[in-house]
């Protein structure tokens, strides 16, 4: 039976220890092959072969967490199948054929749901295509069960102090009663965790410490410690919820309703009901309810919420637009190109949440360390409690008390959360700015990159030719361009599109053409305003007319600059030259300079001819390798790696597939397309060259944050271990050392959310 993936929304997780307990418990269910839990996303993915899913849910609820199945994610469109296999060793298996089997992952909203056919799209109840299950974690923190328990425990503790003031002899018993209100749920979770395979959980350590304190007569302190523990857990939950909401807030960008145009009338419908091909009307100032293509209207669209582009982008008929972006000053009519469950924002949210479920190498190491660390803490605490009294005759109460304090100090929560909290924040801030990074392993690998290899067409350049020079031998440039546009008016060739776009931008009136003809490999001809015109290559033009030495020299100069030259003839006489070139992106030079400033080597790997590539490379100041086949690009990336370089490959994700697979990190350029989102390890959604440097800078900032967190977590523990052993601190500071460190580490990680990527 093939493996099935089922996703759940989990309520009540506030640190990585919670995730570890859930993973351990669910792995013990027969038929479960793999479990991935994300604290910050609040999700769990279970890979299984017909496992007892109700039992999985009972295991999770038994640990004290809420669980609800998530609705299925949309399948990838069948026209762009992409398979990925990214192991810890950065091995890749990218397939980019358009007619091959695709390995689909099936997320099931119901236990008995059969595998979804390839290409199907499951209905989603929320705008943006994500069902967040509306567990209690979606409401205010003070309405959660954890908050209610904390407040009840605090009220009982306050009441115990009040009663004890008037009836001192009842002190031990009233504080034990207050203690039990908080400790019973904690002890129950400890028991369930132990039965599910996690005997050394934070709840276990807390239960042992509290009961031990009661036994040695410190019931008042034990009650206070339990209350402080619950407060710490609540603060951790609030901090984790903030990180979680930073991703979910993206779904709120998509409006709940849309104006559907049918049979000449417009009516308001739920945005989630839209289908591919539906016609939508969007008024000025409104958010777009779906990804689509503009059919009518011309105006600016603010794409900052999705791509991070600070300047509104002018959109006209034929242009692509994204759900969640804001329409500007003109009404637009769109055709929906994706289902609500598969629009750009929904896919970004889904991919980022799935990325958070994968673990970075540092995180995996700390998880392994914590599995040995916690039992070791228990052993050390036990030795501290019994060795001094047995060997040196010290007081039992004093050293048992110190041993109990060490149990609390040794809780690994702060250490375990130090890495995933920072990585989740890094992934979230990147996604908000159009930098999609698929998992902690990729985010960590980006920090090590010291060479970046770029594709040329569509990556460093705009990907479409534009007119760079108009040289009129007779008349003026406007007349030259109008005649050329007349000849090209029926063509869809990229060069023809560039000429027509330039004529439209100048507002030129294009005269009609008669007897238009395309001359294969040479150019186009026709009669315009009574003149027999020909527009074609210099070689074809020279066969029809005599070009002067100056004209030949001018053509040669333009060719040397990497430009394609077309010559216009009228009645056999040269009228002028039109030079075109695929121009560099506006930010290409600045983006490359930013990489060089960080000591990163840059290269251009292109299949274009040497002359054109060198012209672009000289303008951008980048090393050039031209005339390459896809296999050549892969070979060069591998050669650079053999030289000891860690290489990022940036391309469009299709013809660069072998090089993207071979690179340390593959980065796709694009505006939210299938290729940009699904092919490589990371994607620059807006296609800005400068965003590659921003992505690497974000990775380095995230790793600095992780190192700060680990230092903070271990440093605080080391200080309190010493002060506890010499008798300066006790149970109260011990629990503050644990929960306080966890909150501080989480807060430090959340600082990344304010970073400008």
């Amino acid at each position: 039976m093939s493996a099935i993936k089922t996703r759940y929304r989990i309520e009540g997780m506030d640190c990585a220890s919670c995730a570890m307990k859930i993973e351990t418990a669910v792995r013990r269910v027969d038929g479960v092959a793999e479990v991935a839990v994300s604290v910050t996303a609040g999700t769990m993915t279970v890979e299984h072969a017909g496992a007892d899913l109700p039992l999985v849910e009972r295991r999770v609820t038994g640990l004290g967490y809420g669980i609800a199945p998530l609705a299925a994610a949309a399948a990838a469109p069948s026209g762009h199948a992409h398979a990925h296999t990214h192991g810890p060793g950065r091995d890749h298996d990218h397939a980019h054929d358009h007619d091959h089997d695709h390995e689909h992952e099936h997320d099931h909203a119901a236990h008995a749901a059969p595998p979804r056919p390839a290409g199907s799209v499951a209905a989603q109840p929320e705008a943006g295509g994500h069902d967040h299950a509306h567990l209690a974690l979606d409401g205010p923190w003070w309405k959660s069960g954890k908050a209610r328990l904390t407040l009840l425990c605090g009220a009982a503790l306050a009441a115990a102090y009040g009663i004890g003031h008037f009836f001192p002899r009842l002190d031990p018993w009233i504080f034990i009663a207050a203690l039990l209100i908080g400790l019973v749920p904690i002890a129950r979770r400890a028991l369930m965790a132990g039965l599910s395979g996690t005997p050394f959980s934070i709840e276990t350590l807390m239960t042992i410490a509290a009961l031990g304190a009661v036994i040695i007569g410190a019931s008042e302190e034990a009650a206070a410690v339990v209350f402080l523990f619950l407060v710490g857990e609540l603060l951790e939950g609030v901090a984790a919820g903030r990180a979680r909401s930073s991703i979910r807030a993206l779904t709120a960008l998509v409006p709940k309703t849309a104006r559907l145009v049918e049979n000449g009338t417009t009516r308001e419908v739920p945005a989630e009901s839209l289908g591919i091909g539906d016609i939508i009307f969007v008024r000025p100032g409104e958010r777009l309810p779906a990804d689509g293509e503009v059919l009518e209207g011309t105006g600016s669209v603010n794409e900052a919420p999705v791509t991070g582009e600070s300047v509104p982008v002018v959109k006209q008929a034929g242009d692509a637009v994204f759900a969640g972006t804001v329409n500007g000053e003109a009404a637009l009519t769109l055709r929906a190109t994706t289902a609500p469950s598969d629009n750009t924002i929904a896919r970004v949210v889904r991919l980022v949440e799935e990325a958070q479920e994968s673990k970075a190498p540092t995180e995996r190491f700390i998880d392994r360390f914590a599995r040995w660390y916690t039992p070791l803490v228990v052993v050390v605490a036990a030795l501290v409690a019994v060795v001094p009294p047995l060997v040196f005759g010290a007081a039992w109460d004093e050293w048992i008390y110190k041993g109990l304090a060490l149990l609390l100090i040794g809780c690994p929560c702060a250490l375990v959360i130090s890495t995933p909290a920072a990585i989740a924040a890094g992934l979230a801030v990147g996604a908000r700015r159009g930098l999609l990074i698929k998992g902690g392993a990729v985010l960590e690998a980006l920090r090590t990159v010291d060479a970046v290899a770029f594709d040329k067409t569509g990556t460093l350049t705009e990907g479409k030719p534009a007119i760079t020079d108009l040289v009129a031998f007779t008349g003026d440039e406007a007349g030259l361009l109008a005649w050329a546009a007349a000849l090209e008016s029926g063509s869809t060739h990229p060069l023809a599109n560039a000429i027509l776009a330039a004529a439209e931008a100048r507002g030129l009136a294009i005269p009609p053409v008669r007897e238009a003809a395309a001359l294969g490999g040479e150019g186009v001809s026709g009669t315009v305003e009574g003149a027999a015109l020909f527009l074609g290559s210099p070689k074809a033009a020279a066969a029809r007319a005599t070009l002067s030495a100056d004209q030949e020299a001018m053509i040669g100069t333009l060719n040397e600059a990497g430009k394609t030259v077309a010559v216009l003839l009228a009645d056999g006489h040269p009228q002028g030259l039109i030079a075109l070139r695929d121009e560099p992106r506006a930010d290409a030079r600045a983006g490359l300079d930013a990489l060089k400033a960080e000591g990163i080597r840059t290269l251009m790997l292109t299949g274009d001819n040497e002359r054109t590539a060198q012209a672009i490379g000289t303008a951008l100041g980048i090393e050039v390798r031209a005339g390459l086949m896809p296999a050549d690009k892969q070979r060069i990336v591998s050669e650079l790696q053999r030289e000891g370089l860690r290489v990022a490959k940036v391309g469009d994700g299709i013809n660069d597939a072998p090089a993207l697979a071979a690179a340390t990190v593959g980065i796709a350029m694009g505006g939210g397309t299938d290729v940009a989102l699904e092919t490589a390890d990371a994607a620059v959604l807006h296609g800005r060259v400068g965003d590659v440097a921003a992505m690497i800078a974000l990775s380095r900032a995230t790793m600095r944050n992780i190192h700060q967190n680990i230092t903070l977590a271990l440093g605080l523990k080391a200080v309190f271990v010493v002060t506890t052993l010499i008798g300066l601190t006790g149970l109260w500071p011990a629990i503050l050392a644990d929960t306080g460190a966890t909150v501080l580490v989480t807060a430090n990680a959340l600082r990344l959310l304010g970073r400008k990527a």
Side-chain angles (χ1 to χ4, degrees), residues 118-481:
S120 69
V121 177
Q124 303 272 9
E126 285 196 16
H130 266 314
D131 176 10
H132 288 157
H134 294 296
L135 293 168
L137 57 82
D138 290 323
W141 64 267
W142 59 85
K143 291 186 178 180
S144 67
K146 189 170 292 185
R148 289 194 296 270
L149 177 61
T150 303
L151 292 174
L152 180 61
C153 186
L157 183 61
Y161 276 113
I163 296 171
H165 179 73
F166 296 103
F167 304 99
R169 283 180 295 181
L170 297 178
D171 266 5
W173 306 107
I174 55 178
F175 280 108
I176 288 174
L179 164 72
L180 290 176
I181 290 175
L183 186 61
V184 168
I186 293 172
R188 180 183 178 279
R189 284 156 50 194
L191 177 62
M192 295 304 298
L195 294 175
S196 301
T198 309
F200 297 106
S201 65
I202 173 65
E203 288 84 2
T204 301
L205 302 187
M206 186 68 234
T207 302
I208 294 171
L211 293 177
V214 170
I215 291 170
I216 63 174
S219 57
E220 175 184 348
E221 198 166 358
V225 164
V226 168
F227 172 66
L228 290 173
F229 173 78
L230 293 175
V231 170
E233 277 201 324
L234 183 60
L235 291 175
E236 292 167 15
V238 171
R242 182 183 168 194
R244 190 177 294 126
S245 64
S246 68
I247 288 296
R248 293 190 186 174
L250 289 173
T251 62
L253 294 175
V254 181
K256 300 295 184 185
T257 60
R259 290 185 178 83
L260 181 66
V261 179
E262 285 182 323
N263 303 319
T265 62
T266 302
R267 61 187 179 93
E268 198 167 274
V269 299
E272 65 195 34
S273 68
L274 294 173
I276 296 174
D278 283 348
I279 308 301
I280 310 161
F281 180 75
V282 184
R283 293 174 179 170
E286 294 182 338
R287 290 188 182 272
L288 276 58
D291 287 359
E293 176 186 352
V294 177
L295 297 180
E296 296 178 12
T298 300
S300 61
V301 173
N302 181 4
E303 297 186 339
V306 176
T307 65
E309 175 59 56
S310 58
V311 179
V313 180
V314 175
K315 300 291 185 179
Q316 56 189 2
D319 289 343
V321 290
F322 307 128
T325 56
V326 182
N327 189 18
E329 69 282 352
L332 298 177
T333 302
L334 322 172
R335 177 190 292 113
T337 55
T338 64
S341 60
D342 204 35
N343 67 41
T344 300
I345 288 179
R347 294 163 74 197
V348 167
V349 172
R350 185 165 64 245
L351 288 167
V352 172
E353 288 189 344
E354 289 171 357
Q356 289 178 349
E357 291 172 1
S358 68
K359 294 186 176 181
T362 301
E363 185 178 356
R364 289 195 295 268
F365 168 76
I366 289 181
D367 281 352
R368 291 194 299 269
F369 175 75
R371 288 191 177 95
W372 290 98
Y373 168 83
T374 307
L376 180 63
V377 166
V378 174
V379 171
V380 170
L383 292 175
V384 167
V386 302
V387 170
L390 287 176
V391 177
F392 304 107
W396 279 97
D397 284 2
E398 177 187 352
W399 286 95
I400 289 175
Y401 182 90
K402 290 180 178 180
L404 296 175
L406 283 181
L407 273 184
L408 299 179
I409 293 170
C411 292
C413 286
L415 180 63
V416 174
I417 197 66
S418 60
T419 300
I423 285 176
L427 294 173
V429 75
R432 290 209 312 264
R433 290 160 175 77
L435 311 178
L436 184 63
I437 303 168
K438 297 184 179 179
V442 178
L443 185 61
E444 193 165 326
L446 279 163
R447 173 181 62 99
T448 68
V449 166
D450 42 27
V452 180
F454 290 88
D455 182 33
K456 180 183 78 70
T457 305
T459 300
L460 290 174
T461 67
E462 295 287 353
K464 55 185 178 182
I467 291 179
T468 59
D469 302 88
L470 287 168
V471 182
F473 301 149
T474 61
D476 57 17
E477 293 181 359
L480 174 68
L481 185 57

Side-chain angles (χ1 to χ4, degrees), residues 472-474 480 541 544-548 551 567-577:
F473 301 149
T474 61
L480 174 68
R544 291 169 170 78
T546 301
L547 300 176
S548 69
Q551 292 167 350
V567 181
L568 181 68
L569 305 178
D571 297 326
H573 300 287
Q575 300 298 300
L577 308 176

Side-chain angles (χ1 to χ4, degrees), residues 37 47 193 228 261 330 361 558 565 572 712:
V37 181
E47 186 174 338
L228 290 173
V261 179
L558 293 170
V565 180
L712 187 63

Side-chain angles (χ1 to χ4, degrees), residues 635-698:
R635 173 181 52 78
I636 292 170
V637 167
S638 299
E639 288 173 355
L640 293 171
Q641 290 174 322
R642 284 195 292 273
E643 294 174 14
L645 296 175
R646 283 145 299 194
V647 184
K649 176 66 177 72
V650 185
D652 63 11
I654 300 176
N655 58 359
D656 291 302
L660 284 168
T664 307
V665 178
I667 302 174
M669 280 284 222
T673 62
D674 288 337
V675 167
L677 289 175
E678 297 177 30
T679 301
D681 306 301
V684 175
L685 298 188
H686 200 268
R688 289 182 296 229
V689 177
D691 281 352
V692 176
M695 190 178 283
I696 293 173
L698 176 62

Side-chain angles (χ1 to χ4, degrees), residues 611-645:
R611 183 178 61 193
T612 300
Q614 287 294 346
I616 297 292
T618 300
L620 297 179
I622 186 173
E623 181 182 340
V624 175
R625 309 281 183 90
L628 304 176
M629 298 296 288
D632 297 324
K633 297 180 182 182
Q634 181 189 34
R635 173 181 52 78
I636 292 170
V637 167
S638 299
E639 288 173 355
L640 293 171
Q641 290 174 322
R642 284 195 292 273
E643 294 174 14
L645 296 175

